[in-house]
């Protein structure tokens, strides 16, 4: 859905994550790292979600998305646990072309950022600027991540899984069809199961491009 009159955009998201990452890294003593510390999971995962973007004013937009990841069993007979990402964002055009000015096109930004987990992640707003302009947006996001317990040979690990919510201010710079962003995530909820390391903060950086007219 792309209604340029009302400024509403919506999309259904789906995909598959293939087991292409390395799963046999060892430490300096030759011991194999556990599955959760390997670059790849060795599993086939299904991705399902939806995204919505709504223009509020000529300079202010609201974006939200959800993404569910159904995780399969991979390396070392380990299932790293299903995941659910839920995100919402406000973006404000600090300078550059706005929707009230001429030559504005479909921003294609119905994706709020999502935190990066073990094997995926993330989905960043993308903005199309095909007329050679430069724009800067201020971002304020809420990023939630629920992670199910991992299972090894069918046995659930009590020290895995949980829920975290981050408040993430940041900036997005758009030059022509290229967009880059930086966000600093501050955790407001760290509800993890059992004994786990909890993040004090995180930084998300990304670059994206829009191809086509």
């Amino acid at each position: 859905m792309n209604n340029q009159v009302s400024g509403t955009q919506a999309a259904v998201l789906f995909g598959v994550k293939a087991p292409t990452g390395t799963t046999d890294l060892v430490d300096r003593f030759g011991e194999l790292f556990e599955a959760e510390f390997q670059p790849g999971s060795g599993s086939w995962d299904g991705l399902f979600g939806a995204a919505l973007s709504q223009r509020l004013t000529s300079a202010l937009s609201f974006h939200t998305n959800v993404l569910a990841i159904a995780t399969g069993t991979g390396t070392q007979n380990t299932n790293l646990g299903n995941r659910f990402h839920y995100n919402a964002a406000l973006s404000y055009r600090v300078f550059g072309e706005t929707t009230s000015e001429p030559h504005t096109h479909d921003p294609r930004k119905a994706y709020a950022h999502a935190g990066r987990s073990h094997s995926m992640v993330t989905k960043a707003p993308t903005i199309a600027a095909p007329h050679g302009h430069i724009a800067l947006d201020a971002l304020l996001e809420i990023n939630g991540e629920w992670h199910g317990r991992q299972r090894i040979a069918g046995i659930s690990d009590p020290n895995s899984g949980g829920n975290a919510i981050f408040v993430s201010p940041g900036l997005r710079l758009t030059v022509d069809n290229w967009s880059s962003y930086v966000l600093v995530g501050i955790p407001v909820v760290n509800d993890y199961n059992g004994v786990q390391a909890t993040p004090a903060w995180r930084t998300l950086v990304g670059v994206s491009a829009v191809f086509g007219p």
Side-chain angles (χ1 to χ4, degrees), residues 77-195:
N77 200 18
T78 298
N79 184 306
L80 292 174
N82 297 328
R83 298 186 294 280
F84 183 72
H85 298 267
Y86 48 100
N87 307 281
L90 287 172
S91 64
Y92 180 77
R93 179 58 49 87
V94 177
F95 69 79
E97 189 176 83
T98 66
T99 55
S100 63
E101 296 171 332
H103 300 114
T104 300
H105 296 265
D106 171 16
R108 305 183 188 184
K109 56 184 178 184
Y111 304 92
H113 298 282
R116 181 186 184 277
S117 66
H118 173 84
S119 58
M120 287 295 301
V121 264
T122 194
K123 314 294 132 319
T126 305
I127 198 165
H131 285 290
H133 79 269
I134 299 175
L136 180 68
D137 296 290
L139 307 173
L140 180 61
E141 303 193 0
I142 296 177
N143 310 122
E145 305 174 12
W146 174 86
H147 200 152
R149 285 186 170 93
Q150 73 173 7
R151 299 184 301 279
I152 304 174
I155 300 175
S156 178
D157 181 357
N159 297 312
S160 65
N163 188 62
I165 300 176
F166 295 83
V167 173
S168 307
L171 294 171
R172 178 179 57 212
L173 177 66
T174 302
V175 180
D176 296 332
N177 283 16
W178 291 88
S179 180
S180 61
Y181 68 89
V182 59
L183 294 163
V184 177
I186 303 167
V188 293
V189 173
N190 273 332
D191 184 16
Y192 294 99
N193 301 321
V195 178

